[in-house]
Amino acid sequence: MTTLLEPVLSVRQVLTLERVLAGDPEVVAGAGQLDRPVRWVHVAEAADVGVMLSGGEMVLTTGVLLAGDDELQAEYIRSLHRAEAAAVVLGLGRAFPAPPDVMRRAAERCGLPMVVLHRPFPFAELTEEVQSRLVRRKFAAVSLSEAVRTALTGLITADAPLQRLLDEIAQHSGCPVVVTNLAHRVLATAGERPAVDDVLRDWERISRQAGRGEGDGWIRAELGGRGERWGGILLCGYRGDAATGRLLADRGAEALVLHRMLGGGSAHSWEEQSAQSLLTDLIGGVVPARQLLPRARAAGLPVNRRTFVPLVVRDGDPGRLDRILRLLGMPGLVAELTGRSTAVLLSLARDQDAEALAAHFAARLRTETAPCTVVAAADGRIAWDDVPAGLREAQHVAEAVADSAAVLDLPPVVRLRDVHLRGLIRLLRDDPQVQSFAERELHGLLREADEDLLSVLRTYLATGRNKSRTAQLHHVSRPALYRRLEAIRTRLGVDLDDFEQAASVHIALLAHDAQQR
C-alpha cells in the first residue's frame, strides 16, 4: 500500500479549519500566495516581531501597538516580508474595527497574504490546532523515514536485487521511480507499468526538466560517494508535499549507494542489467516491440531513422563488447543471454554500410579474443518491430555453429545463409522423430557415454572426414586417430567412408548436439 504523508499545511488550508472559520476570515491582500507552507504559528503584538522570525510563520496579531501610526503599520508588514513570514492574520476589534488600508496596500505590494478576522477569535485555539497538526506531521515524517530505511536495509541485508529496492521505493512514493546515470540514461525503473511507460515516452523532456531542478512533483537525489557522483534517482510526478518526496528520494539514494558498496553492483553493471532486461524482453516476444521502444530510447539507444543490426556473440564478455562499441563509436546495447551468448544490438545511421560495420566490429573483437570467436548476425532491420525476429535469428545462427566453430571455415560474421544443414537441424531439434533418429543412429556411442569418441566423430565429420586435420585438432597421432575411428565404426556399425552412411551419422550428431543445448 502506498504510504503518503498528509501534505504540509498551507495558508489556504489553515483558513479552512473549522476553528478559523468561526472567526469569519477574509483575505484582503496577497490572495495569489495562499499556497505558501505554514511552518509555525506565532502570536505577537510587538511592532518589531520580524526580528524574532525565521521564516514560514503565520503571525497572529490584534495590532494594538500599531494603531494610529501609518508608517509603523507599513514597516510592520515590510519586516514580516523580509523575515519570509507565511502570512499575517489581524483580528479586528478596538485597535482596528476595519481592515487598515496602509497595511493592506503594503501587504499587496510585498505579496504577503493578509487575513482579517471579523469576529472575536481566541488566538490560542488556532495556535493549538495548527501546532498540533504540524507536530503530528513531523512525527509522521520521522516514522515514515524510519519505516522506509528499515524496509530498504532489510532488503539489502537479504541480498535483494536492485529492482526489489526500487519496487519498495515506488510503493512508498506512489509514483514512477527512475534511476539514471550522469548522462540521464535510464538504468532501471519501478512503479505501475502504464505510468512508467508514460514517463519513458516523454523521457527526453522529463530528463531536461529534472536537470534544471525540482518542481511539479519531479524530485531528484544524487547517487554517489567518496567525492564521486555516478547517477541519480528521480521520483516522477510525486503527488505529496515536496518535503516528504525529498525524504523518500534521500532514503532511496542512501539505500542504492549502500547496495552498491556492499556488492550489489556498480553503476556500469546496472547499465548491463537494463540492457539485458530490454534485449531479453525483445527476444522473448512476450511484450510487443512497440511497447519497448520508449525503454530503448530512454536507455540512450538512437531509434529515429536507424538501421538496427542484431548480433549474438558466443562466449563474449559483455564488458569487453561494450568497450569495443565505444571505441568504434557505434551506438548499441549489449546484454548477456543464457547459454554463453551475448546479444549486441547496433543502431546505425541509414546511410552507413551495416554489413561492413558489423564485419569491422567482429574483426576488432577477434583481435582481442580468439580468431574462432563466433559473431552471428541477422540482416539489418529498418523497422523497430522487426528487431525481435532479427535477434532470434542471430541467436539461432550462433547456436547452430557453436560446437564446431573451431573446425568450420566460417566468415567473420556468420549469417543464416552460412549455417546450411546445421540451421535446419537446430530448427527441427524438438521434433520427436528427429530425436528418435538421433538416438537410433548414435546408440552405440551414447550407450557408453563416451564423450571422447563423440568429440572425435564431431570433428572428423565437420572437417569433411579430413583425418590429418582431425588428428591435429585433437593433438593425437594418425595411428591413435585410426584406432578411435575404428572404435566408432564398431560401436555404430557403420562405414564412415560411405558417403550416405557418414551423412546419416552427421545429421544424427547435429540433432543430438542441438538437443543437448
Side-chain angles (χ1 to χ4, degrees):
M1 172 182 270
T2 301
T3 305
L4 295 175
L5 290 182
E6 179 184 353
V8 65
L9 287 176
S10 64
V11 175
R12 189 187 309 277
Q13 289 171 317
V14 171
L15 297 181
T16 62
L17 296 178
E18 188 174 345
R19 292 186 178 182
V20 179
L21 292 175
D24 192 12
E26 177 189 0
V27 179
V28 296
Q33 301 294 322
L34 295 182
D35 291 320
R36 285 182 174 183
V38 175
R39 187 182 62 83
W40 208 243
V41 177
H42 192 73
V43 180
E45 298 293 348
D48 59 348
V49 65
V51 300
M52 297 180 283
L53 305 180
S54 58
E57 294 90 351
M58 174 179 277
V59 177
L60 311 180
T61 182
T62 61
V64 65
L65 300 181
L66 305 175
D69 190 331
D70 290 354
E71 180 55 34
L72 190 59
Q73 294 172 27
E75 177 56 28
Y76 180 81
I77 296 296
R78 289 193 293 267
S79 70
L80 293 179
H81 172 64
R82 290 192 296 268
E84 297 182 348
V88 58
V89 178
L90 175 65
L92 300 181
R94 283 187 303 170
F96 292 102
D101 285 341
V102 173
M103 294 179 68
R104 182 183 59 77
R105 287 195 300 269
E108 194 64 50
R109 283 194 298 270
C110 293
L112 175 70
M114 179 176 173
V115 181
V116 297
L117 300 175
H118 290 277
R119 297 176 184 170
F121 182 82
F123 285 166
E125 291 187 9
L126 174 58
T127 303
E128 178 184 8
E129 175 76 11
V130 176
Q131 313 297 51
S132 64
R133 286 175 179 261
L134 293 175
V135 168
R136 286 198 300 271
R137 182 188 177 280
K138 290 180 182 294
F139 178 77
V142 172
S143 298
L144 175 61
S145 177
E146 288 306 308
V148 173
R149 181 182 280 117
T150 299
L152 294 176
T153 302
L155 290 173
I156 294 172
T157 304
D159 199 25
L162 169 67
Q163 189 61 52
R164 184 66 189 86
L165 269 67
L166 295 181
D167 289 341
E168 185 73 20
I169 298 168
Q171 184 179 19
H172 283 286
S173 64
C175 68
V177 176
V178 176
V179 175
T180 70
N181 62 12
L182 293 179
H184 300 294
R185 291 187 176 183
V186 175
L187 305 182
T189 62
E192 295 184 2
R193 194 73 253 168
V196 171
D197 288 343
D198 287 343
V199 168
L200 295 183
R201 271 191 289 270
D202 200 22
W203 179 248
E204 185 176 349
R205 180 189 64 80
I206 290 173
S207 61
R208 288 198 303 268
Q209 177 177 334
R212 290 195 299 267
E214 298 178 355
D216 298 327
W218 307 104
I219 302 175
R220 179 180 175 87
E222 299 297 331
L223 298 175
R226 299 174 182 174
E228 177 189 9
R229 286 194 310 117
W230 42 268
I233 179 172
L234 181 66
L235 305 187
C236 303
Y238 177 70
R239 297 188 301 274
D241 67 285
T244 305
R246 164 55 49 195
L247 179 150
L248 290 170
D250 288 344
R251 292 295 85 80
E254 290 172 6
L256 297 187
V257 171
L258 181 60
H259 179 265
R260 178 186 176 186
M261 291 175 58
L262 295 180
S266 64
H268 183 65
S269 71
W270 289 357
E271 290 181 352
E272 292 175 355
Q273 292 175 33
S274 174
Q276 182 179 41
S277 173
L278 174 60
L279 293 184
T280 300
D281 286 347
L282 278 170
I283 292 174
V286 176
V287 181
R290 190 163 299 279
Q291 292 184 22
L292 298 173
L293 185 60
R295 283 172 58 187
R297 183 184 290 111
L301 186 73
V303 296
N304 294 329
R305 297 189 58 77
R306 309 292 288 187
T307 297
F308 302 102
V309 183
L311 306 175
V312 171
V313 181
R314 290 288 296 182
D315 299 319
D317 174 61
R320 175 182 281 125
L321 298 179
D322 187 62
R323 181 176 58 80
I324 291 175
L325 286 184
R326 296 176 190 273
L327 287 174
L328 298 179
M330 296 182 185
L333 296 177
V334 178
E336 186 174 10
L337 306 175
T338 57
R340 298 163 43 201
S341 295
T342 300
V344 180
L345 181 61
L346 301 180
S347 175
L348 306 176
R350 292 278 178 88
D351 58 355
Q352 292 180 296
D353 189 332
E355 287 201 19
L357 288 176
H360 185 40
F361 169 79
R364 180 59 182 263
L365 174 61
R366 289 184 173 190
T367 61
E368 296 194 16
T369 53
C372 59
T373 299
V374 174
V375 178
D379 292 336
R381 264 55 177 177
I382 300 297
W384 175 258
D385 287 345
D386 295 334
V387 169
L391 285 167
R392 289 191 289 270
E393 179 182 314
Q395 189 176 34
H396 162 68
V397 171
E399 293 183 0
V401 299
D403 291 322
S404 304
V407 298
L408 296 174
D409 185 19
L410 298 172
V413 178
V414 188
R415 300 180 185 276
L416 190 60
R417 59 178 176 268
D418 302 313
V419 298
H420 307 297
L421 179 61
R422 294 174 180 274
L424 175 63
I425 294 300
R426 186 181 177 278
L427 290 175
L428 299 175
R429 63 182 175 178
D430 295 326
D431 187 292
Q433 293 185 347
V434 173
Q435 294 173 356
S436 177
F437 170 77
E439 288 289 329
R440 184 171 60 252
E441 290 290 303
L442 301 175
H443 178 70
L445 290 179
L446 297 179
R447 178 185 57 198
E448 302 295 334
D450 195 327
E451 289 298 328
D452 180 58
L453 291 184
L454 276 173
S455 179
V456 170
L457 177 61
R458 184 179 295 113
T459 304
Y460 180 64
L461 296 173
T463 58
R465 295 181 292 174
N466 186 320
K467 294 182 178 66
S468 297
R469 179 64 174 153
T470 302
Q472 179 186 15
L473 289 170
H474 283 271
H475 307 288
V476 298
S477 65
R478 289 285 291 269
L481 175 65
Y482 293 154
R483 287 193 294 272
R484 286 173 169 81
L485 291 177
E486 183 59 34
I488 292 171
R489 291 190 187 97
T490 301
R491 293 191 184 184
L492 296 183
V494 298
D495 180 4
L496 294 178
D497 291 329
D498 180 84
F499 175 79
E500 184 174 339
Q501 293 183 55
S504 180
V505 172
H506 194 186
I507 292 172
L509 187 58
L510 291 177
H512 169 74
D513 289 344
Q515 291 159 14
Q516 293 304 305
R517 285 197 296 274

